[in-house]
Amino acid sequence: MEKHFVYILYSTKIDKYYTGYSKTPEKRLEFHNSDLNKIWSKRGQPWELKTTIPFETKKEAMAVERKIKSFKNNLLLNIFIRLDLLLKLTQKKTYDRPHP
């Protein structure tokens, strides 16, 4: 089954986050940083990928993207990103442990 992702980018240049949906977040990051980009995010180049969140369905991913976009300030997004990264680290440690 194909994965769907919500991705969050950050620009130090304009101190803004950008949230989007894609099946290929790395390619979207390349687009946001490319000369082909003619949308709002062009002004924030270069963007860095802060996190990606996988979903089984496009519907789930789009719902979370809308919710994240409703966060009106960087503080809420920063908290969300840190919690997401902490969760990923915790899950990774669980899977990396050798089984007895």
Side-chain angles (χ1 to χ4, degrees), residues 10-70:
Y10 178 72
S11 168
T12 56
K13 181 179 175 183
I14 60 173
D15 189 29
K16 296 280 183 202
Y17 288 96
Y18 183 94
T19 303
Y21 156 82
S22 179
K23 291 182 185 176
T24 55
E26 292 81 12
K27 286 185 181 179
R28 287 301 292 164
L29 174 62
E30 287 177 21
F31 169 77
H32 286 292
N33 284 326
S34 79
D35 291 335
L36 299 174
N37 181 355
K38 305 293 183 211
I39 61 175
W40 175 89
S41 65
K42 183 169 184 73
R43 71 186 81 173
Q45 292 175 342
W47 292 93
E48 67 178 85
L49 185 62
K50 293 308 256 182
T51 192
T52 58
I53 308 156
F55 294 92
E56 295 296 321
T57 68
K58 181 177 180 178
K59 183 178 180 178
E60 291 172 315
M62 299 293 281
V64 171
E65 179 195 19
R66 276 191 301 279
K67 185 65 174 173
I68 293 170
K69 285 183 173 183
S70 75

